Amino acid sequence: MGILNALIRITIGLTILSWSTAKMVKFPWRDSYLFIAICGAMKVAEGIVRFCPVTALYERYQEMEPQQTAPDFSDGEMNTDIGQVLPYNPS
């Protein structure tokens, strides 16, 4: 994560955190403001440590090679996974 991305996350996180805590003072019985405050604090923490687990998972998924399709054994080839020949069934 770059420095600009980290600064944006810190700024937006602090904005969300301050808004939600101000709302929690006025409406303390609503749990949604607590959840929003936790999300804002998480964004601040991501900006400070310059690591986002969601972005890391996405980048790791993009680096993985696509999986190969299953082989076609319809012509009676040897199946090495189970060690037997599959019969050819033209039906």
Side-chain angles (χ1 to χ4, degrees), residues 43-68:
K43 288 296 161 191
V44 172
E46 288 174 2
I48 290 172
V49 297
R50 294 177 63 182
F51 176 76
C52 178
V54 175
T55 305
L57 284 174
Y58 178 75
E59 288 175 356
R60 181 176 289 178
Y61 176 74
Q62 293 297 320
E63 292 174 0
M64 290 175 47
E65 295 179 15
Q67 294 184 2
Q68 297 177 352

Side-chain angles (χ1 to χ4, degrees), residues 15-86:
T15 303
I16 292 171
L17 189 60
S18 63
W19 176 82
S20 62
T21 53
K23 289 291 188 177
M24 276 195 305
V25 169
K26 197 170 186 179
F27 305 107
W29 60 88
R30 294 195 178 169
D31 293 333
S32 61
Y33 294 128
L34 178 62
F35 177 73
I36 294 171
I38 291 171
C39 289
M42 184 180 65
K43 288 296 161 191
V44 172
E46 288 174 2
I48 290 172
V49 297
R50 294 177 63 182
F51 176 76
C52 178
V54 175
T55 305
L57 284 174
Y58 178 75
E59 288 175 356
R60 181 176 289 178
Y61 176 74
Q62 293 297 320
E63 292 174 0
M64 290 175 47
E65 295 179 15
Q67 294 184 2
Q68 297 177 352
T69 59
D72 182 23
F73 295 114
S74 62
D75 57 353
E77 292 180 7
M78 178 72 159
N79 185 349
T80 57
D81 293 337
I82 56 176
Q84 54 185 316
V85 176
L86 297 175

